[in-house]
C-alpha cells in the first residue's frame, strides 16, 4: 500500500495550497480518506476526513470554512484545498486511509487509520 502526498510548500499568510494524495495497493472506494497534520511540538491530529463516496465530510473546527477535502475515485486520489492559510497551519501534513464505508460522523483528533503516507511540509510565512 502506498499513499503518496504532494503539493506542500511555502506560502504567505492568506494564500492557498492544494495537497494531493495518490493511493495504490488498496481498493480506494472501500476506504474513508483523511488528512492529518503535525506541528512541531504537537501531536498529530485529524483535520479532515471524507467518506468513500465523497458525500460526507468532517472537519476539525480550526480548519472549517477554510479547507476543503475532496476525492476522485476514478483517479484514486484525495485532495485538500487549503485557503486563507494562517501561520498556525504550518505543519507536516499526512494523508491516511481507513477501511470501511460506514460513517458515524463522530471523529476525534486521534482517529485511528489503517494506512499512512509520508508527510508533506506546509509552511505559512507571515
Amino acid at each position: 500500500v502506498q499513499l503518496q502526498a504532494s503539493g506542500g510548500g511555502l506560502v504567505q499568510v492568506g494564500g492557498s495550497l492544494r495537497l494531493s494524495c495518490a493511493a495504490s495497493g488498496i481498493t480506494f472506494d472501500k476506504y474513508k480518506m483523511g488528512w492529518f497534520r503535525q506541528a512541531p511540538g504537537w501531536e498529530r491530529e485529524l483535520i479532515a476526513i471524507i467518506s468513500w463516496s465523497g458525500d460526507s465530510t468532517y472537519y476539525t473546527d480550526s480548519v472549517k470554512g477554510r479547507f476543503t477535502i475532496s476525492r476522485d475515485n476514478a483517479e484514486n486520489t484525495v485532495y485538500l484545498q487549503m485557503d486563507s492559510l494562517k501561520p498556525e497551519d504550518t505543519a507536516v501534513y499526512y494523508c491516511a486511509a481507513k477501511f470501511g464505508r460506514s460513517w458515524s460522523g463522530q471523529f476525534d483528533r486521534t482517529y485511528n487509520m489503517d494506512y499512512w503516507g509520508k508527510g508533506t511540509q506546509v509552511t505559512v510565512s507571515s
Side-chain angles (χ1 to χ4, degrees), residues 39-53:
W42 292 83
E43 293 184 348
R44 188 165 55 188
E45 63 169 344
L46 171 67
I47 57 170
I49 191 166
I50 189 167
S51 64
W52 71 273
S53 63

Side-chain angles (χ1 to χ4, degrees), residues 108-125:
D108 62 38
R109 60 192 292 123
T110 61
Y111 188 68
N112 188 39
M113 305 296 278
D114 296 317
Y115 299 107
W116 294 86
K118 294 181 181 179
T120 185
Q121 176 71 45
V122 172
T123 302
V124 184
S125 68

Side-chain angles (χ1 to χ4, degrees), residues 68-85:
T68 303
I69 188 171
S70 61
R71 66 189 293 161
D72 183 340
N73 286 349
E75 296 294 328
N76 288 3
T77 302
V78 61
Y79 304 96
L80 186 68
Q81 177 67 40
M82 304 187 295
D83 298 318
S84 303
L85 283 161

Side-chain angles (χ1 to χ4, degrees), residues 21-119:
C21 175
S24 60
I26 59 173
T27 305
F28 190 68
D29 66 1
K30 290 187 177 180
Y31 285 77
K32 294 181 279 291
M33 297 298 297
W35 286 97
F36 291 69
R37 69 184 179 189
Q38 185 169 18
W42 292 83
E43 293 184 348
R44 188 165 55 188
E45 63 169 344
L46 171 67
I47 57 170
I49 191 166
I50 189 167
S51 64
W52 71 273
S53 63
D55 290 343
S56 298
T57 57
Y58 163 89
Y59 299 93
T60 194
D61 286 346
S62 61
V63 307
K64 205 173 290 183
R66 299 188 299 121
F67 291 10
T68 303
I69 188 171
S70 61
R71 66 189 293 161
D72 183 340
N73 286 349
E75 296 294 328
N76 288 3
T77 302
V78 61
Y79 304 96
L80 186 68
Q81 177 67 40
M82 304 187 295
D83 298 318
S84 303
L85 283 161
K86 305 175 181 179
E88 52 263 43
D89 294 318
T90 295
V92 178
Y93 284 70
Y94 299 88
C95 66
K98 176 69 172 179
F99 181 77
R101 291 181 169 180
S102 63
W103 185 266
S104 69
Q106 302 295 319
F107 302 96
D108 62 38
R109 60 192 292 123
T110 61
Y111 188 68
N112 188 39
M113 305 296 278
D114 296 317
Y115 299 107
W116 294 86
K118 294 181 181 179

